[in-house]
Amino acid sequence: PTSNCILSPLNIILQQTEISEKRVTELMKIFDTSGDGALQLDEFVTVDRFRNQLEALAREEKRLAAEAEQEKKRQEQEVLLAEAKLEFLNEKEPTMSDKALSVLPYLFPLMDGLQYGRFLLSSDDAGANPFVVILAVLYSLYRSIPFSGFVAFFALNILSGNPSINRLVRYNMQQAIYLDIALFFPSLLIGLGGLISSGAGLTVPPGVGEVFSDVMFGTLLLTLAYCAVSSFLGKEPDSIPLISQAVKDRMPSMDMLEGGTLDNEGRFIPKMPERREEDDKSDEDKK
């Protein structure tokens, strides 16, 4: 009768307290001093002490459950954030259409570089070459557009800043711009060479300029051929000295998106550079 009187309120407490079977086992071990797996009469404690111990275990159980739920939500948020980053910054494997599209920006330096091929392209047998005919048609179309060079430059520069475009396409847009800028320096050297030779009273043989132009045009064609083949294979043409490294430094990466958040529709919102600098400065001040 005595044990029933004690067990009855204990059973009520157990039924009213949210606690797992594992915690109940731990509770039994606390009061089962003999270790026989059952509570003897001398091991029974007051209801208040039992309740206090039981509530402590219940609180611990709820705390661990809350932490587990928070960790689960954090992991789910990280997964959603990673997926949103991939949608925002398209660094997926290029599709066939991406590969084909990535080659088109190199028409820009090709058109501007035709000036160096004027000797090769104006030879007597050049008209029978279908490649030369195609270049002539493309060049006519290119020059028919007012300020075509500026239009192409700004268009490629703006489009290359669109993160939703595949990385290979954006990379080739930037590299095409750098190649076109690089074409300016040989022209500058030719002009300076002419001025210096005129000032010194020297006459440069016509063949020198022709050979120089032919070498420049051949180098340009080989460079663009490498870029086209590499792009069709789905690989970034990143082996051009100086230029490719400069393009890589300008390309955004996933590391630059650290600190971004998701909006209400699950779209990624990157942290503004000014805000990122302020946060970095604040972290340094704390250290």
Side-chain angles (χ1 to χ4, degrees), residues 187-254:
S187 300
L188 182 63
L189 290 175
I190 293 175
L192 289 176
L195 289 175
I196 294 173
S197 60
S198 298
L202 301 175
T203 302
V204 179
V208 174
E210 183 177 342
V211 171
F212 181 81
S213 295
D214 291 346
V215 170
M216 285 301 307
F217 188 63
T219 303
L220 176 62
L221 291 181
L222 289 175
T223 302
L224 296 182
Y226 157 71
C227 293
V229 172
S230 181
S231 299
F232 275 123
L233 294 176
K235 297 175 60 179
E236 291 181 359
D238 56 0
S239 299
I240 302 176
L242 300 177
I243 292 178
S244 293
Q245 187 58 49
V247 175
K248 283 183 179 180
D249 294 340
R250 284 182 56 86
M251 293 294 292
S253 63
M254 286 296 179

Side-chain angles (χ1 to χ4, degrees), residues 10 36 58 70-71 124 132 162 168 181 187 234 241 243 272 283:
L10 294 183
D36 59 359
Q70 290 178 355
E71 179 65 18
D124 295 336
V132 175
N162 186 348
L168 179 62
I181 294 174
S187 300
I243 292 178
M272 299 302 292
D283 293 340

